Every structure is written in C-alpha cells, then in structure tokens.
Amino acid sequence: MLTDQLIPEGLGAASAPPERSLWRESPLARRIVLFNLLAILLLVAGVLYVDHASDSLSRQRGRALVTEAGLIAALVDPARLDESTAAPALGAPADALRELALLNGLQVFLFDANAELRLRLGPDDAPDGNPQALAARAARFARNGATARTEVLEVSGDAGARYLMSGAPISDGGEIRGHVVVASARGEIEALAQTDRRRTTKIVVIAVLVSLGLSLALASTIAIPLADLAAAAERGRDENAGNLRAARIRIPDLTDRQDEIGRLSGALSGLVSGLFERIARNEQFASDVSHEIKNPLASLRSAASALRVAKPDQARELIEVIEQDVSRLDRLVSDISNASRLDSEMVREQEAPFDLVDLCAKIGEHMEGLADERGIRLTRDVPPAPLVMHGLEGRLAQVLVNLVSNAVSFCGPGDSVSIVVRRLGNRAVIMVGDTGPGIPEDAIQKIFERFFSSRPAGEFGKNSGLGLAISRQIVEAHGGTIHAENITATVHDPGSAPMGARFVVSLPV
Ligand SMILES: Nc1ncnc2c1ncn2[C@@H]1O[C@H](COP(=O)(O)OP(=O)(O)OP(=O)(O)O)[C@@H](O)[C@H]1O
Ligand SMILES: [Mg+2]
C-alpha cells in the first residue's frame, strides 16, 4: 500500500517494484551477509585451532595403548608363561580380554623372557594381510626391551600398513619374565580422524549455508524496505527539483511493522503530508489574498474612472470612496503580512512558563478603556491561584485581545463582556463571552476562515476578517482548541435569538 501525497496523475507506474538483485543493489545487505559469514568463519577457525592444539588422535591412542599393555601385563601369571600355549597364563579373564582386544581392533602378543611368542590375541587378519610380519615386528619390539620403557612406536608392516605399538614387561618380583606387546592399526585412527573431519566439514557447510540464508532473509527485511523508502524520497526529490508544481511523493506504507522501519515510514509519510499541507495552505492563502485585494482594487478603479466625468459634488464622494479603499488596502496588506509571517515568527520565538491568570488580568486592564468608552462592562472571573502554563505569552495575549476586541465591537452600551478562566484537569480553559447579538447561525462554521467578516457595512475597511483565523493558528500551535458558540436562553427553544456569543479556548498545561 502506498500513501499518496499531492498529486498529479500518471506517476504511479514509476513506483511498481522492479526486479532487483539484493546483492548487487544493496551495500547494506552485502555488509549484513559478510559480517555474519565472517562471524561463522571466525568460529570455525577457533574450533579448528582448539582441535589442533589439543592432543592429536594418534597421540591419545598411543597413550591408551600404553595403559592397555600395562593392564594386560598385570593380568598375566608369569609362572605359566612357559607352558606350550600360554593361554592359561591369562587365567579366567582371557575371554574378556580377547573380547576387549577384538573390539578395539587390538593385536595382543605375549612373549616369554626370550621374546618367544607364546600367545597372540586379536583379529585374525591384520590390515596388511600379513600377520606373521606384524608378529615378527612385535617380537623385535620385545627383544629390544622397548616394553620396559613404555614406548609408543609407529611401525610399518610389510605391505606398508602402519601400526602404533606399545608394550609392558611381565615381571615377577622384579625379574622380567615376559612381555606384552599391543599393536593398533594406524589406519583405524586415520579413519576415525577422517570421520571426525568429515563431520566437522558437514557442520561447517551447514552452518555457512544456514547463516547465509538467515543473513539474506535478515538483509531483505531491512535493506529492501529501506531501499524502497530511500527510492521514494529520491523520486520525490528528483520530480520536484526545478518543478513549479509540487509532484506526487509516494512513501511506501510500512507502518504495520512494529520496528524502526515502520516508524521511519510513518514519520516520512507524516513529514511529507505535513509539508504538502503547508504548501497547500500557502497556495490557498495566496489565492485568498489576491481575491481580497481585488475587491478594493475594483472599487478603486471604478471610482477613479467615474471621477473623470464627475461633477464637483460627486467628486468629493468618490474621493471618500477612494480613501476608504486605500485604507482598506493598507489595513489588508499589513494584516496579511502579519498573518503570513506568523508561522515562521512563532517558530523563532522562545516558549516560556507564564501565569495565565496574570495574563488575563493584564488583558482586562488593557481593554477596560475601550469597553468603558462604549459603555460596556468588562468582568473577570479567574482562579485565586496562579495557573502556570508553557508557551508564547505574547501570542496568547494576541488571541485574547482579538476575542475581547471582537466581543466589545459587537456589543453596545449596557452590554457586558466576561473573561472566565478555569483549570479542568490538565487543561486551562478561557471563555470570552458577551451579551451582544451572537453569531449568525449560517456564519458560525465560517468565522475561523481567513477573510471572513460579517461586519456591518458602515465599518467597511476597518476589519480584514483575519483575527479569528490567526487566533486559531496560535491556539493550535500550542496544542489547544478554540471554538465558538451562541449563548441561548433555553435549549427548549432552539429558534430563539441568541443572548450573546462565547468563545472557548482550551490549552494544555
Ligand atoms: N463576539 C462576537 N459576536 C458576534 N460575532 C462575532 C464575534 N466575534 C467574531 N464574530 C464574527 O466572526 C467574524 C470574524 O471575526 P474576526 O475577528 O476573524 O474578523 P474581524 O473581527 O471581522 O476582522 P479583524 O479581526 O481582522 O479586524 C466577525 O466578522 C463576526 O462575524
Ligand atoms: Mg477580529
């Protein structure tokens, strides 16, 4: 969905989402993917380093071989080693041992003190298919006394098969009566290491793929909407550059997203619509102004042309008309210039705390003279305690002066104008009421519009009809509201003539 702002037709097609490559178009997406991959690769490098630094599998296996040889040596009964088959020398645990040896793929050799092979346990077929060669190698191992040093040798069988070999002496009261030699095929260890490597590689590949997928998904939920927002803003900029007419800016509506991108989209739409509203207001203002200025100008022109042919006594009247028109124009132009500068001036002015009760007292005093002159009673009804609010005191004073001077100007001798201030919760309410003629029903909706004025004809030229429009602008800039109503005698008789008018301003405090 797209949010339309101001708006000639025909630009919509430009924003249909084109085919896009996330990787090529979005540096942000590339960065997200690269950073995530880098993190995974660092992790892998760390794991490999730790793996490498720890004992290699073959070293571990070598240590296990030494222990196994020692264990088996402890089980052998040295007294029975010399029997033709040394099987009984192992006693009852022989079967268990055989199983152990078989399970581990171990070749176990028992030698007597002369390094004569007495017993051999283990899988029948050695990996190199040459059990005799391995046995001979083990005998040499025993004969060299390597068993006593718990050495681990890496030896090669005849067919090139490699073994880890270790042994332990079989001793009887300190005297060496034989040797246990154990051999484990190196290939098994390598197979184990390979399985290990394969598993690690599989995990790394899966991790990289998952990370890649997740990064792309993440990148697409961040980079694509951001790119859309940026593209919309850029299109708006390009289309408006040098154009006299404001072009459409369509900000993608992503406000359903509960994240910063949703906020950004909402804020951009708000910003754009605010700006366009302001442009529209300015345009409306300019057109209202020219319309207002045209009336006195037309009147001036006809008076001037009538003057050419007028008789002397008519001429005086015409000159009076011309003077009125000029003063109306003068008043209009200064009012318009004040009103048009209002927004920018208010932005520059500093808000400060001030007491609303005190302000009303000052306004009352200021307006008393004018009211007295016209025989009007001006009353004030304010809270006893100060009512402090934050804002532009001078501008709110301007609002009150507008309201009170309107009220006074519509009242006659014997009438009264009242200023009432109350605090209602977190709002300050100011009511300016009068006992004048009230506002005509058909005008009540229009009085806040610029240049609306329903002054009697005799007052022509004195008022521009901008007072209430300016007042509303000031009040709204403070986050407040202003409305007008007629004071009626009774709700039971809606048609009865109003007893006066009341303007209610409500401001947050
Ligand atoms: N107290 C009031 N009683 C009756 N009508 C009022 C009252 N205040 C305002 N109005 C109506 O609202 C209109 C607009 O008021 P507004 O203050 O904007 O303009 P204005 O007073 O005619 O001109 P300006 O304020 O520029 O001198 C008035 O012309 C009048 O019709
Ligand atoms: Mg006024």
Side-chain angles (χ1 to χ4, degrees):
M1 212 206 316
L2 292 166
T3 312
D4 280 13
Q5 313 300 346
L6 218 84
I7 301 308
E9 280 310 315
L11 291 160
S15 60
E19 271 301 308
R20 58 209 339 199
S21 154
L22 188 61
W23 184 257
R24 235 178 311 125
E25 281 175 26
S26 169
L28 193 59
R30 284 201 294 273
R31 215 168 302 160
I32 291 173
V33 171
L34 285 180
F35 276 34
N36 278 343
L37 281 186
L38 202 67
I40 285 279
L41 291 180
L42 270 178
L43 194 70
V44 169
V47 168
L48 289 182
Y49 175 75
V50 171
D51 200 40
H52 185 73
S54 71
D55 277 0
S56 71
L57 272 174
S58 70
R59 228 181 307 155
Q60 282 178 29
R61 187 73 191 105
R63 269 208 297 273
L65 273 187
V66 171
T67 319
E68 277 160 358
L71 266 174
I72 297 168
L75 289 173
V76 176
D77 176 2
R80 307 185 74 162
L81 249 187
D82 293 334
E83 289 175 19
S84 60
T85 161
L90 274 170
D95 283 342
L97 196 67
R98 193 186 300 274
E99 234 159 67
L100 187 76
L102 284 172
L103 272 180
N104 283 351
L106 262 191
Q107 301 273 345
V108 180
F109 303 92
L110 286 192
F111 295 100
D112 61 16
N114 302 322
E116 288 295 325
L117 182 62
R118 288 294 172 189
L119 182 67
R120 175 179 182 159
L121 299 170
D124 291 337
D125 50 337
D128 57 359
N130 191 348
Q132 279 75 27
L134 184 60
R137 189 68 192 80
R140 213 171 332 136
F141 191 86
R143 211 171 301 124
N144 293 343
T147 54
R149 299 195 295 273
T150 61
E151 270 181 50
V152 179
L153 271 195
E154 209 172 315
V155 299
S156 298
D158 281 355
R162 293 169 65 73
Y163 292 89
L164 281 183
M165 190 172 274
S166 181
I170 302 166
S171 49
D172 187 10
E175 189 187 341
I176 290 182
R177 301 288 296 273
H179 306 274
V180 172
V181 174
V182 289
S184 167
R186 185 87 173 77
E188 276 172 37
I189 297 161
E190 265 152 20
L192 264 180
Q194 213 168 6
T195 319
D196 233 38
R197 262 199 303 276
R198 227 176 286 140
R199 205 176 304 145
T200 312
T201 315
K202 215 185 291 174
I203 290 172
V204 168
V205 169
I206 291 174
V208 167
L209 287 179
V210 169
S211 158
L212 197 68
L214 288 180
S215 312
L216 283 173
L218 182 68
S220 69
T221 62
I222 294 175
I224 289 182
L226 275 182
D228 287 348
L229 288 177
E234 283 163 359
R235 258 198 314 276
R237 178 199 61 198
D238 297 344
E239 281 164 9
N240 280 295
N243 262 359
L244 291 179
R245 218 167 35 140
R248 172 198 307 224
I249 296 180
R250 304 171 124 219
I251 300 293
D253 183 2
L254 307 173
T255 44
D256 284 349
R257 291 174 60 130
Q258 303 297 316
D259 59 12
E260 287 83 345
I261 292 178
R263 271 171 53 201
L264 181 63
S265 147
L268 272 180
S269 303
L271 185 71
V272 168
S273 54
L275 280 176
F276 277 108
E277 254 167 44
R278 198 154 175 173
I279 293 171
R281 268 210 309 271
N282 285 346
E283 284 175 355
Q284 183 61 42
F285 187 58
S287 103
D288 290 350
V289 164
S290 58
H291 183 259
E292 282 305 304
I293 285 179
K294 267 187 182 154
N295 287 339
L297 274 183
S299 161
L300 258 180
R301 189 184 299 122
S302 64
S305 56
L307 201 55
R308 280 182 214 277
V309 292
K311 295 187 182 112
D313 52 331
Q314 285 172 323
R316 202 169 304 118
E317 267 175 43
L318 285 170
I319 287 172
E320 255 170 47
V321 169
I322 290 176
E323 277 171 356
Q324 267 186 7
D325 286 339
V326 170
S327 81
R328 172 154 170 72
L329 271 177
D330 186 43
R331 160 97 203 236
L332 252 180
V333 168
S334 54
D335 279 0
I336 287 164
S337 108
N338 287 341
S340 65
R341 274 184 284 124
L342 183 65
D343 267 348
S344 57
E345 280 182 1
M346 276 203 289
V347 169
R348 275 202 301 276
E349 288 166 21
Q350 281 295 321
E351 293 197 344
F354 64 92
D355 179 13
L356 207 55
V357 171
D358 187 43
L359 176 67
C360 286
K362 281 190 216 150
I363 301 292
E365 278 163 29
H366 175 70
M367 303 296 290
E368 229 152 36
L370 180 72
D372 279 351
E373 241 172 56
R374 306 191 49 156
I376 296 162
R377 203 157 57 93
L378 182 60
T379 63
R380 253 174 294 142
D381 175 356
V382 297
L387 209 173
V388 177
M389 69 164 285
H390 202 81
L392 305 174
E393 185 176 9
R395 293 298 172 183
L396 288 170
Q398 193 181 345
V399 172
L400 287 177
V401 169
N402 279 346
L403 295 180
V404 175
S405 60
N406 273 353
V408 168
S409 72
F410 279 96
C411 285
D415 278 325
S416 70
V417 172
S418 64
I419 305 173
V420 181
V421 179
R422 288 286 181 274
R423 185 187 180 129
L424 292 179
N426 58 355
R427 301 190 83 79
V429 178
I430 309 164
M431 288 179 286
V432 176
D434 62 62
T435 56
I439 308 158
E441 273 312 315
D442 56 337
I444 214 157
Q445 298 300 329
K446 298 186 215 149
I447 55 175
F448 290 100
E449 286 171 14
R450 270 190 299 249
F451 303 114
F452 178 86
S453 188
S454 63
R455 300 276 172 186
E459 291 178 31
F460 178 80
K462 290 196 198 132
N463 301 85
S464 342
L466 283 170
L468 287 180
I470 290 174
S471 300
R472 182 171 65 176
Q473 213 174 327
I474 294 172
V475 169
E476 287 178 353
H478 282 80
T481 58
I482 179 169
H483 74 270
E485 59 201 14
N486 276 326
I487 305 169
T488 44
T490 162
V491 288
H492 302 298
D493 185 6
S496 65
M499 295 174 65
R502 175 165 51 209
F503 288 79
V504 184
V505 176
S506 163
L507 294 162
V509 284

